[in-house]
Amino acid sequence: MEEFYQAIEGTIRMTGYKGPVDGKEIYNEISDEIEDKEPGAYVFMSKKTDDTFFEYKIQIFEDQFNLSAIDIHTPDQVYHADFD
């Protein structure tokens, strides 16, 4: 799993985003949000600071999920990390 967490962090870093990123925290947050959700496409938002939030685009299947993209909204810019 550590490789997966690092892949999330690396993909986000490649966007130029300089803020704090924790792949394990992101994975756990998504896992908590999708619990008991029907299969389908979802967008989840997570406020990280007063002026920064993450927008997760996720596909949920019967027994797994696919993180398609994360958009990080800051006061100055939106960073897009594509995982597909």
Side-chain angles (χ1 to χ4, degrees):
M1 287 301 288
E2 190 62 37
E3 290 175 9
F4 185 68
Y5 304 147
Q6 289 175 0
I8 291 171
E9 294 169 10
T11 302
I12 290 171
R13 290 283 172 230
M14 288 177 18
T15 70
Y17 178 68
K18 303 282 190 235
V21 176
D22 183 333
K24 183 176 182 179
E25 178 185 312
I26 289 170
Y27 180 86
N28 289 337
E29 188 171 43
I30 291 169
S31 294
D32 289 345
E33 283 293 325
I34 67 170
E35 191 172 320
D36 299 326
K37 296 281 192 262
E38 296 287 325
Y42 291 85
V43 175
F44 296 111
M45 295 185 184
S46 176
K47 187 173 181 180
K48 298 299 182 182
T49 67
D50 286 340
D51 58 3
T52 301
F53 69 93
F54 285 24
E55 180 179 338
Y56 305 118
K57 294 172 180 81
I58 303 163
Q59 289 281 107
I60 299 175
F61 305 102
E62 286 296 325
D63 57 353
Q64 63 183 349
F65 71 91
N66 176 49
L67 173 60
S68 300
I70 297 176
D71 289 335
I72 301 169
H73 298 259
T74 69
D76 302 321
Q77 187 173 347
V78 175
Y79 299 90
H80 178 76
D82 191 359
F83 294 91
D84 282 337

